[in-house]
């Protein structure tokens, strides 16, 4: 499988919003539970939001109520709408299937930086 391509990151101030996008190849996103992950310096990569094939979404407590995961199967694309951003949301964001098994390689990620 071709690794996914994340985009949409940037530098924003506390309280602002960003929308991340992730393009996958083939039907990889439409036939699997997918997720957005985040990695910050010195920490392991952690999942922040996941979306099942049936449309159910789950969120890490740290982002619940602020982030929304979605996908467009026709475009093989998934999204992460991030509102009310906080400095602790800073990190590199990746998309992949959930849980990650190693089947799909990690992409380059997209950097999100939230200034206080």
């Amino acid at each position: 499988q071709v690794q996914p391509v994340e985009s949409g990151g940037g530098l924003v101030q506390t309280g602002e919003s960003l929308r991340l996008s992730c393009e996958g190849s083939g039907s990889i996103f439409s036939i699997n539970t997918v997720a957005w992950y985040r990695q910050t310096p010195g920490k392991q990569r952690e999942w922040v939001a996941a979306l099942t094939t049936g449309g159910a979404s789950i969120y890490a407590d740290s982002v619940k109520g602020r982030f929304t995961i979605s996908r467009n199967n026709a475009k093989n694309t998934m999204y992460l709408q991030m509102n009310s951003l906080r400095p602790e949301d800073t990190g590199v964001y990746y998309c992949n299937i959930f849980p990650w098994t190693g089947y799909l390689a990690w992409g380059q990620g997209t950097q999100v930086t939230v200034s206080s």
Side-chain angles (χ1 to χ4, degrees):
Q1 291 287 343
V2 177
Q3 62 190 27
V5 179
E6 301 91 349
S7 63
L11 171 63
V12 297
Q13 295 186 335
T14 297
E16 294 186 336
S17 299
L18 281 174
R19 189 191 192 211
L20 306 184
S21 298
C22 171
E23 293 185 36
S25 65
S27 60
I28 188 69
F29 288 160
S30 63
I31 63 173
N32 286 284
T33 294
V34 294
W36 283 94
Y37 299 78
R38 173 171 71 195
Q39 187 161 26
T40 55
K43 292 186 178 181
Q44 284 190 326
R45 194 165 359 218
E46 59 178 356
W47 73 272
V48 295
L51 181 64
T52 70
T53 54
S57 56
I58 53 174
Y59 299 92
D61 288 343
S62 60
V63 307
K64 199 173 296 182
R66 300 186 297 121
F67 289 12
T68 303
I69 186 173
S70 61
R71 73 174 141 204
N72 184 326
N73 290 336
K75 295 183 177 180
N76 297 317
T77 302
M78 55 188 287
Y79 307 95
L80 185 67
Q81 177 66 43
M82 306 188 296
N83 298 329
S84 302
L85 283 162
R86 304 168 180 171
E88 53 264 39
D89 296 320
T90 295
V92 181
Y93 284 72
Y94 303 86
C95 59
N96 214 301
I97 60 176
F98 179 84
W100 184 68
T101 62
Y103 174 74
L104 181 63
W106 294 104
Q108 294 298 308
T110 185
Q111 175 72 47
V112 172
T113 304
V114 185
S115 64
S116 56

